[in-house]
Amino acid sequence: MEVDNSTPMDEMTAVSPRSLLRRFYDLQAERVQTYLLFDEGFQAYLKGAPNYNFNMYRQLVHEITETFQKISQDVIGVKDRLANVCNMNQIANILDQVQDEERNKLELTASLQIAQQNAVDHPTDECYKAEVVELKLKVSERIQNINEYLEELKYESENLYEDEEEEER
């Protein structure tokens, strides 16, 4: 399930800040793909109502959790190298904020899935439907926050690309 399209973090000690940022963006893309797989698997699980295939869903959650943990550890490695090796604390702080939002998003996504199952199991109970709407809004807010941090990262790291362009001339 996991896509490894990059250099392992322990081999990245001498990597440029720009390469570290590229790695971070690759990890963010992997997170997005993992969320898509998670949602597809959950939707398949919900379609089995009322005879849910819990074993399949539990295996999915296990695999998704492992993937998110690996991504998170790799992002922490990128962040640490940016802060400690490259002395780019502002960029490292932005990555830290993205990590916090991603952690909150995952927790909310788990709560949302429980609420969605409750709404399927109790279709006449409006409380579950309202909870689904509320949680979707909160997940959407986390995504918006993540995108704002990514935009801030783009502006904060612009000079890395300008410096490299000057070196190429």
Side-chain angles (χ1 to χ4, degrees):
M1 155 121 104
E2 191 176 312
V3 180
D4 188 15
N5 58 357
S6 62
T7 308
M9 287 310 301
D10 56 352
E11 295 175 18
M12 294 185 74
T13 11
V15 177
S16 72
R18 186 173 175 183
S19 295
L20 289 167
L21 280 177
R22 192 174 305 120
R23 175 67 179 137
F24 168 73
Y25 285 118
D26 289 345
L27 290 165
Q28 277 301 108
E30 189 176 342
R31 274 186 181 150
V32 169
Q33 285 303 116
T34 303
Y35 270 111
L36 290 174
L37 289 171
F38 195 21
D39 188 55
E40 286 174 12
F42 179 69
Q43 294 308 319
Y45 168 76
L46 273 186
K47 286 180 182 165
N51 302 313
Y52 298 108
N53 184 346
F54 186 71
N55 289 332
M56 181 268 318
Y57 180 67
R58 183 176 55 207
Q59 181 62 33
L60 172 69
V61 169
H62 173 74
E63 290 172 11
I64 293 295
T65 300
E66 283 184 343
T67 301
F68 279 132
Q69 286 174 340
K70 183 191 178 308
I71 292 169
S72 182
Q73 289 303 310
D74 285 355
V75 169
I76 290 167
V78 168
K79 176 191 73 93
D80 288 348
R81 281 177 177 76
L82 283 167
N84 302 327
V85 176
C86 303
N87 200 26
M88 301 187 128
N89 294 318
Q90 182 59 31
I91 291 175
N93 288 338
I94 296 169
L95 268 56
D96 226 7
Q97 292 168 315
V98 170
Q99 282 287 95
D100 287 343
E101 290 295 335
E102 288 288 358
R103 185 174 25 263
N104 290 332
K105 178 184 170 194
L106 185 56
E107 290 170 5
L108 287 168
T109 298
S111 296
L112 174 60
Q113 288 183 352
I114 292 167
Q116 287 173 319
Q117 182 176 343
N118 286 334
V120 167
D121 291 344
H122 309 282
T124 58
D125 192 333
E126 293 299 317
C127 290
Y128 293 119
K129 291 177 187 174
E131 184 180 15
V132 167
V133 170
E134 179 185 335
L135 287 167
K136 281 184 178 182
L137 179 62
K138 287 181 179 181
V139 168
S140 181
E141 289 169 356
R142 297 288 76 79
I143 292 169
Q144 183 178 349
N145 290 348
I146 291 165
N147 288 333
E148 287 172 7
Y149 286 127
L150 293 176
E151 192 69 19
E152 183 180 344
L153 178 62
K154 182 174 122 184
Y155 290 116
E156 192 64 37
S157 63
E158 271 180 340
N159 64 335
L160 294 177
Y161 299 96
E162 292 168 2
D163 292 347
E164 194 166 294
E165 287 172 8
E166 286 176 16
E167 288 174 12
E168 290 174 359
R169 290 185 204 151

